[in-house]
Amino acid sequence: RLRPGYPGAALEAMLAHVHVRSDGGPRRAVDLGAGTGKLSWALVERGLEVTAVDTSAAMLETALRRGETDAPGLTTRLAPAEATGLPAASAELVTVAQAWHWFDAQAASAEVARLLAPGGVVALLWNMLDVTIPWVHRLSRIMHAGDIHREDFLPTVGAGLELTGRSVHQWEDPMPTQDVID
């Protein structure tokens, strides 16, 4: 409930790199470590067919409950990111939001490379607190927030993947004081 989503500008910047399918079908995405589906549903809302992959059945059930019952476009798969069991070349986009550090980077990279259709894109996303704001810095210390990275942070990826770009989007997520406390 309290975790932020992802800003539209960041999603649009990411999707600008994802090619349109030659057969005219909807673009396909695999969201690894999908959790409760915040990013998965944001991609569905933008017209993609999404397979949300996670190792937690409870998280995937929550992801399915988040959506409209008449909104097609999201399927789930209970599997680790390193071995999804999905068909090779089955996605124009593979996303990982707030979860890459949970994976074995070498094995997950090999699986992502296998899943991507020719010309496909992998996008690794993080929301980070802006610790240049003094009260946010103090809050992050109180929370022992792990989602803080240096400005030049680049994740480790294995063979078959290459990081070719980095995009930073600053945004605000206003919330009531009680939500900050919670």
Side-chain angles (χ1 to χ4, degrees), residues 1-157:
R1 178 178 72 84
L2 298 173
R3 289 188 179 183
Y6 297 90
L11 298 178
E12 297 308 322
M14 173 185 69
L15 291 173
H17 297 283
V18 180
H19 64 81
V20 176
R21 288 176 49 182
S22 60
D23 65 4
R27 294 178 292 182
R28 302 162 298 177
V30 174
D31 187 16
L32 299 177
T36 62
K38 282 195 174 194
L39 178 60
S40 301
W41 280 109
L43 295 173
V44 168
E45 290 167 2
R46 285 164 174 76
L48 281 77
E49 288 182 353
V50 179
T51 301
V53 177
D54 204 283
T55 56
S56 169
M59 290 285 211
L60 292 174
E61 288 170 16
T62 300
L64 287 173
R65 282 195 308 269
R66 289 179 68 94
E68 303 284 331
T69 55
D70 61 347
L74 182 72
T75 59
T76 61
R77 184 158 191 100
L78 185 64
E82 298 86 351
T84 65
L86 294 169
S90 61
E92 287 73 42
L93 173 66
V94 174
T95 58
V96 181
Q98 307 292 129
W100 187 254
H101 61 284
W102 293 110
F103 307 155
D104 174 307
Q106 298 302 317
S109 293
E111 181 67 353
V112 168
R114 189 186 72 77
L115 290 171
L116 286 172
V121 173
V122 62
L124 309 179
L125 294 87
W126 280 269
N127 272 320
M128 293 182 283
L129 297 170
D130 184 353
V131 294
T132 64
I133 301 169
W135 77 265
V136 174
H137 181 259
R138 179 70 182 131
L139 177 64
S140 75
R141 302 289 302 271
I142 292 167
M143 295 178 355
H144 304 285
D147 294 339
I148 307 295
H149 299 288
R150 291 173 31 152
E151 193 165 321
D152 60 350
F153 166 74
L154 289 175
T156 300
V157 296

